[in-house]
Amino acid sequence: MLGQPTSRLESKLRPEEREGPVYKANKDAWVALVRDFRESLEKVRQGGGPKAVERQHKKGRLTARERIARLLDPGTEFYELMAFAGWGMYEEWGGAPAGGVITGLGQIQGQTWMIIANDATVKAGAFFPITAKKVIRAQTMALENRIPTLYLVDSAGVFLPLQDEVFPDQDDFGRIFYLNARMSALGIPQISAIMGNCVAGGAYLPVMTDVLIMTEGSGLYLAGPALVKAAIGQEVNSEELGGARMHFEVSGTVDFYEPNDEAALERIRQLIALYPPPRLAPWAEGRKEPREPLYPAEDLYGLIAPDGSRPYDLREVIARLVDGSEFLEYKGGYGETLVTGFARIGGFPVGIVGNQRLILKKKGRIEVGGVIYAEAADKAARFILEVNQMNIPLLFLQDVTGFMVGKESEQAGIIRRGAKLVNAVSNSVVPKITLILGGSFGAGNYALAGKAYAPRFIFAWPSAKYAVMGGAQAAKTLLELEVEKLRREGKEPSDEELKELYERIKGRYEETLDPRYAAARLWVDGILLPHETRKWLIRALEACALNPEREPFRTGVFQV
């Protein structure tokens, strides 16, 4: 029909541009970056290494990854979360690949479960500080999204040399048991299988779940035989003290006794098959049949420079993520450095807020892509209110350098209007999912649902950079501070020394910008490759859909 409105995004990428120098340069840079990240991930997945795997097999036990593979429905994928936890950390102790615990979403008997599996090939599954935080993050995801949770326990307990960093704080080891209890009170199913060691404080975790399975040869006790002898002088063997048969026949702690890993995993599948399907969130009940985008996701590698050096149109990214490349843009002619609008991803309705990276000419002035201007902050805040009114999820696409500064910006009320956006994001009650495409700097990270603003899931591309400010700016500031310090000591650095000092400071700072640094500390839940992003977003939305509850939306004092 003539004049009928359309929401279909038309890509401006012409076929001949795929052979152009800019597209090819971007793609070549991505190829090297993707290879680097895949090699890093493969290293993580080796866990404690071949010898540790061999030791596990000699005990008649499977590794954590082998256990997970056997649990999943045939032909389904394990969506591993926080794989880079602990990356580059604890090197003085031999490292902790994946933080010593495997976590992620898997389909078992047709239902989505959060799986938390100790990796006994990494320091016998001992809890490093990051191990506890990773388990807590996985439990928090399960609690917020009402995801049934399965624990495969095979751990020697707290890593004693670092016990002071594991044990006492609010988000340390004890929080795991707190969340066990809170999840149980909310009716979230939890199943545990002890398939190795389960000692000391860690013994509470499986016992606080709904169902407890234990395999022959495993141990469950607050104190092992050696500690019992040292504490009270009693001599007792491991089986009498905390063996599977003792807990099954004598203490009554264990619900199911199994002879080996394979039998325990089959028992888990039998139990999960008995659970009824969950009630879904209202926004998920009307899920439509998913439609593939009109444009190939592989184009993303040519459209976007991984170092952030070239501008790009965010709509080109959206066109390769959303169903049918259809996007109903909201206030498209106002506050254009933020793009807002509605779409479907995997059939689910979503509201999208993201940074436009084009250089914009507007009313006689130039607006720099990636910067949040006062009008853009206003628009995004208003859009978030609308999305909460509609009760559909929010997807944030971050590539942000921060808020605009300067006289005109201050006089336009950038602080007031930025505060309005932060308020809207903070008090939003619909599921939030955040994806960092490039920069995530300063207050821009906060305003677009960074980790501190409780997104249900937060992901990053390998091109992401996460800091208060960019490397060059930070290095100059840090250099000035260092030079002042030297001058106070009566030293005047030469031009050559200044250059060397600047490069050293910049290099050190840029190491912390690597998304693996962020992922190691759980600032992001996963590093996604651009062409795999859509399937991950769909999986995250499917997980969010398991929580049908909705809190009332209130903003309190709201700047106008």
Side-chain angles (χ1 to χ4, degrees):
M1 186 183 293
L2 196 64
Q4 184 175 357
T6 178
S7 57
R8 181 174 294 172
L9 291 169
E10 297 293 337
S11 177
K12 293 182 173 60
L13 179 67
R14 298 187 304 273
E16 61 270 21
E17 287 183 285
R18 291 190 175 91
E19 301 302 320
V22 172
Y23 191 96
K24 283 187 170 181
N26 288 347
K27 198 168 182 179
D28 288 346
W30 270 109
V31 166
L33 190 59
V34 168
R35 184 189 304 117
D36 182 32
F37 271 78
R38 281 183 166 155
E39 288 172 357
S40 297
L41 189 57
E42 181 56 37
K43 187 176 179 182
V44 165
R45 288 177 174 165
Q46 291 173 8
K51 289 184 178 178
V53 170
E54 186 181 346
R55 284 195 297 271
Q56 184 78 347
H57 287 164
K58 281 183 178 178
K59 295 175 185 174
R61 296 173 185 164
L62 302 170
T63 66
R65 293 187 184 277
E66 290 167 344
R67 289 165 177 167
I68 292 168
R70 294 196 183 206
L71 271 173
L72 299 182
D73 292 347
T76 64
E77 185 176 350
F78 179 57
Y79 286 77
E80 186 172 356
L81 296 163
M82 301 173 281
F84 282 102
W87 175 266
M89 299 168 68
Y90 314 119
E91 291 180 351
E92 67 275 30
W93 302 105
V101 62
I102 315 302
T103 58
L105 299 172
Q107 182 176 300
I108 307 173
Q109 302 288 25
Q111 297 191 34
T112 297
W113 281 69
M114 175 68 76
I115 301 172
I116 300 173
N118 297 114
D119 186 352
T121 70
V122 179
K123 296 289 188 295
F127 273 72
F128 285 77
I130 202 66
T131 316
K133 294 187 188 309
K134 181 172 175 178
V135 172
I136 290 164
R137 175 60 181 157
Q139 288 179 304
T140 301
M141 288 180 187
L143 186 147
E144 291 176 344
N145 296 297
R146 305 297 191 265
I147 307 170
T149 302
L150 172 63
Y151 305 89
L152 303 180
V153 183
D154 193 351
S155 171
V158 169
F159 185 64
L160 285 177
L162 298 175
Q163 63 83 27
D164 60 314
E165 298 178 45
V166 180
F167 168 68
D169 208 351
Q170 177 175 312
D171 285 327
D172 284 347
F173 199 53
R175 190 74 172 183
I176 294 171
F177 318 131
Y178 169 86
L179 289 168
N180 281 142
R182 296 294 302 136
M183 291 166 68
S184 182
L186 288 168
I188 302 169
Q190 297 178 88
I191 296 175
S192 289
I194 300 173
M195 309 174 85
N197 288 318
C198 185
V199 300
Y204 288 107
L205 185 154
V207 179
M208 294 185 72
T209 61
D210 306 340
V211 181
L212 177 52
I213 299 162
M214 191 169 177
T215 61
E216 177 63 35
S218 297
L220 170 66
Y221 27 66
L222 290 179
L227 188 55
V228 166
K229 184 177 180 181
I232 63 173
Q234 186 180 71
E235 292 194 15
V236 60
N237 65 41
S238 182
E239 177 57 37
E240 291 176 314
L241 187 64
R245 192 164 292 280
M246 187 284 288
H247 279 304
F248 185 60
E249 297 176 354
V250 181
S251 77
T253 303
V254 169
D255 303 313
F256 294 91
Y257 164 89
E258 303 299 340
N260 52 42
D261 280 13
E262 291 81 1
L265 297 171
E266 181 55 34
R267 183 71 69 196
I268 291 168
R269 288 186 55 82
Q270 290 172 357
L271 289 164
I272 288 176
L274 299 173
Y275 285 88
R279 185 163 61 96
L280 298 180
W283 54 266
E285 290 176 343
R287 184 181 188 180
K288 305 296 184 186
E289 186 66 27
R291 291 178 297 140
E292 287 298 310
L294 298 178
Y295 312 105
E298 286 71 17
D299 282 346
L300 295 168
Y301 294 111
L303 287 164
I304 301 170
D307 63 0
S309 60
R310 298 183 179 95
Y312 64 88
D313 188 344
L314 182 68
R315 295 179 192 88
E316 295 283 1
V317 177
I318 294 170
R320 288 158 179 82
L321 293 179
V322 304
D323 291 8
S325 300
E326 291 184 357
F327 180 63
L328 186 59
E329 188 162 358
Y330 176 88
K331 293 185 186 290
Y334 181 75
E336 294 178 74
T337 60
L338 284 176
V339 176
T340 55
F342 305 98
R344 286 185 182 271
I345 298 178
F348 294 113
V350 294
I352 298 174
V353 181
N355 298 104
Q356 177 58 279
R357 293 296 301 191
L358 292 176
I359 306 296
L360 303 169
K361 294 181 180 179
K362 185 78 173 175
K363 295 177 184 176
R365 73 177 186 186
I366 293 176
E367 293 189 346
V368 180
V371 177
I372 301 175
Y373 289 77
E375 298 89 345
D378 259 351
K379 177 175 82 170
R382 176 64 182 82
F383 178 71
I384 290 167
L385 299 185
E386 179 64 23
V387 170
N388 275 268
Q389 190 77 354
M390 296 171 71
N391 189 25
I392 61 175
L394 270 165
L395 171 63
F396 293 87
L397 302 175
Q398 285 195 18
D399 193 350
V400 58
T401 51
F403 284 86
M404 190 58 189
V405 297
K407 182 180 74 173
E408 293 81 5
S409 188
E410 296 293 354
Q411 290 178 355
I414 188 66
I415 297 174
R416 170 175 55 82
R417 292 159 110 174
K420 185 194 305 185
L421 176 54
V422 170
N423 186 318
V425 172
S426 301
N427 287 302
S428 177
V429 295
V430 298
K432 297 190 290 284
I433 299 172
T434 302
L435 173 64
I436 304 171
L437 310 179
S440 183
F441 295 118
N445 169 274
Y446 300 159
L448 298 180
K451 183 67 181 290
Y453 291 80
R456 299 278 186 92
F457 294 91
I458 179 167
F459 302 117
W461 280 358
S463 52
K465 291 177 176 60
Y466 213 130
V468 171
M469 63 180 74
Q473 304 97 303
K476 287 175 184 175
T477 304
L478 292 168
L479 178 64
E480 288 173 9
L481 295 172
E482 190 67 27
V483 169
E484 282 300 315
K485 179 184 172 186
L486 289 170
R487 283 172 177 162
R488 285 197 301 270
E489 294 171 356
K491 300 172 186 175
E492 186 63 42
S494 66
D495 289 345
E496 188 64 34
E497 287 171 332
L498 283 174
K499 184 180 178 182
E500 183 184 333
L501 187 58
Y502 172 78
E503 291 299 330
R504 190 165 68 247
I505 291 171
K506 185 169 177 279
R508 193 166 60 236
Y509 189 86
E510 287 188 340
E511 279 181 21
T512 68
L513 298 181
D514 189 311
R516 283 167 292 203
Y517 186 92
R521 290 151 181 80
L522 310 184
W523 300 344
V524 295
D525 299 319
I527 298 175
L528 312 183
L529 300 181
H531 72 282
E532 296 179 340
T533 299
R534 176 176 156 85
K535 74 172 184 178
W536 271 91
L537 294 178
I538 293 171
R539 196 71 182 100
L541 287 165
E542 288 172 342
C544 293
L546 298 176
N547 185 355
E549 305 298 329
R550 188 197 181 204
E551 300 174 35
F553 178 53
R554 303 187 183 96
T555 60
V557 177
F558 201 63
Q559 293 286 348
V560 295

